Amino acid sequence: MQEIQAFGVLGAVVVADWMNSPPHRRNILRREFHVIGVGVCVTTLGPMWTQNFGYV
């Protein structure tokens, strides 16, 4: 499962946006996921944020 947000300025703002979106929040809080990868790519338009969730 992956959550992506383009061009959020601060990580805390991006996470707040994800948690305020019912589908994203549901994915983030799924108990089946045991590992997470978090990344950011800084572009000329601003940072692009991603979270990847998985199983062990």
Side-chain angles (χ1 to χ4, degrees), residues 2-36:
Q2 184 177 47
E3 306 292 351
I4 299 174
Q5 180 166 340
F7 318 123
V9 177
L10 298 173
V13 173
V14 172
V15 172
D17 288 348
W18 281 329
M19 293 305 285
N20 288 323
S21 164
H24 290 102
R25 182 182 179 86
R26 189 169 37 254
N27 289 333
I28 290 168
L29 297 178
R30 281 181 57 185
R31 297 183 75 144
E32 301 91 68
F33 296 129
H34 298 277
V35 294
I36 183 173

Side-chain angles (χ1 to χ4, degrees), residues 2-5 18 37-40 48-52:
Q2 184 177 47
E3 306 292 351
I4 299 174
Q5 180 166 340
W18 281 329
V38 178
V40 62
M48 297 178 67
W49 301 85
T50 184
Q51 295 183 86
N52 294 298

